[in-house]
Amino acid sequence: MKISSFKYVAIGAVVLTLGACQSETTEKTDAEPTNKGEEQANYTVTDDLDNELTFEKVPKTVVSLIPSNTEILYGIGAGEKVIGATDYDNYPAEAAEVERISDSVVFNAERIIEMDPDVVIGYSTGAPTGYEELEAAGIQVFVIESAQSFEDVYGDIEQISTVMGLEDKGDTLNSSIQQQIEEVQEKIEGVEAKKQVFFEISPSPEIYTAGQKTFQQEILNHANVENIFGDLEGWPKISEEEVITRNPEIITTTVSYTEDPIGEIKAREGWSDIEAIQNDQVFFLDSDITSRPGPRIGDAVELVAKTIYPDLFN
């Protein structure tokens, strides 16, 4: 069996399994949004690689190669059309029952070709996509680039809903997400001094965090939180000494693959003088919610805000 491989997000297994994709703009279609339904034919949508995909009819079957796209498909009411997904597609619960055709590092090109989906929703991080074999077999691959902002996520939802002939559902989903975020921000708008937070996504000895131009920074910004490494870009590797020097008020971790991530942080040598450790302000944040640029970005903002400013949500 032939397996084709492609890169995900290259900062280790944590981000590898979480999923991210986006559009550079919400204006990616060739026509004004309308719900096509099953009757509409011959419409063209442009993906983030500037490839024009023309559909003679609305896709009835789709393969998703990243969890956030899968969540979008379910969020717009196209979940029953998903016939292939990754090992990490676990939300909503129905997605866990879909056939696995990728572990998020490699995808089974042979099996996807056998399935013959009407469209594959892929993604790109700027490197070669590896979709040539699928395209050579006549399979339409719609590619979305990795998200860096909430606007990118809204664009993803708009694009995917257009591909699936469900533009109105996409508009409704975007509106509901924006309303949720606005309601959270109303609760935290009175915060005068933002809490200083260290956001850890990979533990010692290979510590990684999120900085500017990342989806995670967008979450922190919307939750009125100051990232102590917000002066850096991307997902930088940092030293324990740097964290000690910057002395965060709160530490959050999205590490879910170790037995006791909070206990491990508290036990690190030299960290006992950090304000967050002294005041027992170390918290776990659900890695799926905080790392997938999809319909749950409102949940991500609410989760972070409630964790950092719990008194404002009582």
Side-chain angles (χ1 to χ4, degrees):
M1 178 178 294
K2 184 172 181 178
I3 303 291
S4 294
S5 66
F6 59 101
K7 297 291 184 181
Y8 202 65
V9 181
I11 63 168
V14 185
V15 178
L16 259 172
T17 61
L18 297 179
C21 36
Q22 70 90 28
S23 63
E24 293 182 352
T25 174
T26 60
E27 301 295 332
K28 287 286 188 176
T29 64
D30 291 349
E32 290 299 318
T34 57
N35 257 17
K36 301 179 187 68
E38 297 299 328
E39 301 295 324
Q40 183 74 23
N42 295 322
Y43 60 99
T44 299
V45 187
T46 303
D47 71 8
D48 284 342
L49 300 184
D50 290 327
N51 296 319
E52 292 187 350
L53 278 70
T54 299
F55 297 90
E56 295 183 359
K57 59 182 179 180
V58 172
K60 293 185 177 180
T61 55
V62 57
V63 165
S64 175
L65 294 179
I66 202 168
S68 52
N69 280 350
T70 303
E71 292 192 18
I72 290 172
L73 286 162
Y74 277 89
I76 62 174
E80 76 282 354
K81 296 184 176 183
V82 180
I83 60 172
T86 80
D87 292 345
Y88 300 98
D89 288 75
N90 54 11
Y91 186 88
E94 307 93 275
E97 304 302 318
V98 177
E99 181 177 343
R100 273 37 189 153
I101 44 72
S102 170
D103 64 4
S104 286
V105 179
V106 297
F107 63 87
N108 189 335
E110 182 178 284
R111 177 55 184 148
I112 294 173
I113 292 170
E114 289 175 353
M115 296 169 115
D116 193 25
D118 293 330
V119 65
V120 170
I121 306 294
Y123 71 94
S124 170
T125 59
T129 59
Y131 300 132
E132 294 80 8
E133 186 173 358
L134 300 181
E135 293 167 335
I139 294 174
Q140 299 256 55
V141 182
F142 189 88
V143 182
I144 297 176
E145 289 187 343
S146 301
Q148 294 182 353
S149 71
F150 282 11
E151 287 302 316
D152 293 340
V153 177
Y154 300 139
D156 289 352
I157 293 171
E158 181 179 317
Q159 285 183 293
I160 293 175
S161 65
T162 301
V163 169
M164 302 306 296
L166 296 167
E167 292 95 325
D168 288 352
K169 295 287 185 67
D171 290 343
T172 299
L173 179 57
N174 276 338
S175 295
S176 66
I177 295 168
Q178 291 163 354
Q179 181 178 351
Q180 181 182 11
I181 293 173
E182 288 172 1
E183 291 173 354
V184 172
Q185 291 182 320
E186 287 176 0
K187 294 180 181 294
I188 59 177
E189 63 182 358
V191 172
E192 295 182 358
K194 296 180 180 180
K195 293 287 187 179
Q196 296 187 327
V197 176
F198 168 51
F199 187 91
E200 182 170 289
I201 58 176
S202 179
S204 181
E206 301 288 324
I207 300 178
Y208 282 86
T209 188
Q212 297 177 38
K213 299 182 179 180
T214 66
F215 172 71
Q216 288 78 14
Q217 182 64 57
E218 277 278 291
I219 296 171
L220 299 179
N221 289 344
H222 282 78
N224 210 9
V225 170
E226 182 176 345
N227 179 3
I228 65 167
F229 288 102
D231 57 320
L232 306 180
E233 288 191 4
W235 293 276
K237 180 181 178 181
I238 58 174
S239 68
E240 294 192 16
E241 290 73 20
E242 288 178 281
V243 180
I244 295 171
T245 299
R246 300 199 183 202
N247 193 25
E249 296 176 80
I250 296 174
I251 297 174
T252 64
T253 177
T254 62
V255 175
S256 59
Y257 53 87
T258 61
E259 184 175 347
D260 183 12
I262 292 178
E264 188 273 325
I265 289 172
K266 291 180 177 180
R268 290 175 188 170
E269 185 176 355
W271 283 42
S272 59
D273 290 333
I274 294 177
E275 184 175 346
I277 304 294
Q278 291 183 336
N279 295 328
D280 196 27
Q281 295 294 292
V282 184
F283 304 101
F284 173 76
L285 298 175
D286 186 291
S287 58
D288 290 346
I289 293 176
T290 56
S291 300
R292 292 181 183 176
R296 291 192 287 171
I297 58 175
D299 293 344
V301 173
E302 185 170 357
L303 173 62
V304 171
K306 282 184 174 180
T307 300
I308 306 303
Y309 305 112
D311 294 343
L312 299 180
F313 291 85
N314 290 335

